[in-house]
Amino acid sequence: AAHTTLGNALSALGKLAEAEEVVSANLAACTEAQGPDHRHTLGTKLNLGLTLDGQGKHNEAALIYAEVLEIQRCVLGPEHRDTLNTAMQLAGSALARGRNAEAEAEYRAILAVQSRLLGESDPATLTCAMNLGSSLLNQAKYAEAEQVYATNLEHKRRRLGSSHVDTLMLEMNLGSVAKERGRYAEAEERFAENLRVKRECLGGEHA
């Protein structure tokens, strides 16, 4: 427990290389004491992946996520929250490495399960949909990205309000899509409205 706390503290401080050493040692101890398939061991291994991701070591992190995901699917089942969370990390790693088609496929699979189990307006579902939109945008699939973002925006407005940072980010993304599709007047209108809300909520200096 002390090693886990220390690793988390180092990560929070941005000392990721040191955190990696601590978490790696903790993982070795957990694996020996509780076995490779124990939930605590898997959680520690996932933390190691996150620490690697934070250092830009996306390939190493992806390997760890894939290993954890394979075990979780067998032990916990493919629709368990922990399994879905690891699948999200793996998809995020693919997105960070520019493997957008791979990320898109993974996000679509996760989103289908989350929408059915949690509902379309659940925060986890909305986060997944947002990331799916990013993977589509990166592939210049503008029409599909716009549809995903627009649906997500409706849920975010109802759940969080028009001035929430997540809602504003989606408005910016939709503005970017409109610009890419040649709808410059619409894009300008979205950007201007976004700026107005930010100034109103945060003040001119923040905007």
Side-chain angles (χ1 to χ4, degrees):
H3 283 294
T4 300
T5 303
L6 177 58
N8 291 338
L10 288 168
S11 293
L13 291 169
K15 298 181 177 180
L16 296 174
E18 295 175 54
E20 181 185 343
E21 292 183 15
V22 172
V23 176
S24 294
N26 192 21
L27 177 59
C30 288
T31 303
E32 183 177 351
Q34 300 172 316
D37 296 350
H38 192 277
R39 192 169 182 177
H40 187 198
T41 304
L42 294 175
T44 305
K45 197 167 188 176
L46 184 63
N47 283 340
L48 178 58
L50 293 171
T51 303
L52 292 167
D53 245 345
Q55 297 176 80
K57 299 178 180 179
H58 303 305
N59 289 327
E60 294 176 57
L63 289 174
I64 287 177
Y65 296 147
E67 290 172 4
V68 173
L69 185 59
E70 183 178 359
I71 295 171
Q72 287 177 327
R73 281 174 172 160
C74 293
V75 176
L76 303 175
E79 297 185 350
H80 192 278
R81 275 186 178 265
D82 288 354
T83 308
L84 294 173
N85 179 55
T86 303
M88 279 285 287
Q89 298 300 336
L90 183 59
S93 181
L95 194 64
R97 288 176 290 153
R99 299 170 66 164
N100 294 295
E102 179 182 328
E104 178 193 346
E106 291 170 356
Y107 283 133
R108 286 191 185 280
I110 298 165
L111 187 61
V113 176
Q114 288 178 328
S115 297
R116 177 166 50 83
L117 295 181
L118 306 176
E120 293 184 352
S121 61
D122 185 86
T125 307
L126 294 177
T127 297
C128 184
M130 180 80 166
N131 292 339
L132 172 60
S134 296
S135 70
L136 292 166
L137 187 61
N138 290 345
Q139 297 175 81
K141 296 182 177 180
Y142 300 125
E144 293 176 73
E146 184 171 26
Q147 183 177 3
V148 170
Y149 285 145
T151 301
N152 204 330
L153 181 60
E154 290 178 16
H155 290 296
K156 287 280 175 68
R157 278 177 174 160
R158 283 199 298 267
R159 192 181 186 91
L160 303 174
S162 297
S163 60
H164 191 276
V165 62
D166 288 354
T167 308
L168 293 173
M169 185 181 298
L170 274 166
E171 287 279 14
M172 286 292 289
N173 288 347
L174 278 167
S176 296
V177 172
K179 182 180 177 182
E180 291 293 344
R181 302 188 76 184
R183 304 201 309 262
Y184 301 114
E186 178 186 335
E188 184 177 357
E189 184 179 342
R190 284 189 180 277
F191 291 146
E193 176 62 14
N194 194 280
L195 184 60
R196 185 194 66 77
V197 175
K198 282 182 179 178
R199 282 177 171 162
E200 186 177 286
C201 296
L202 303 174
E205 293 182 3
H206 290 276

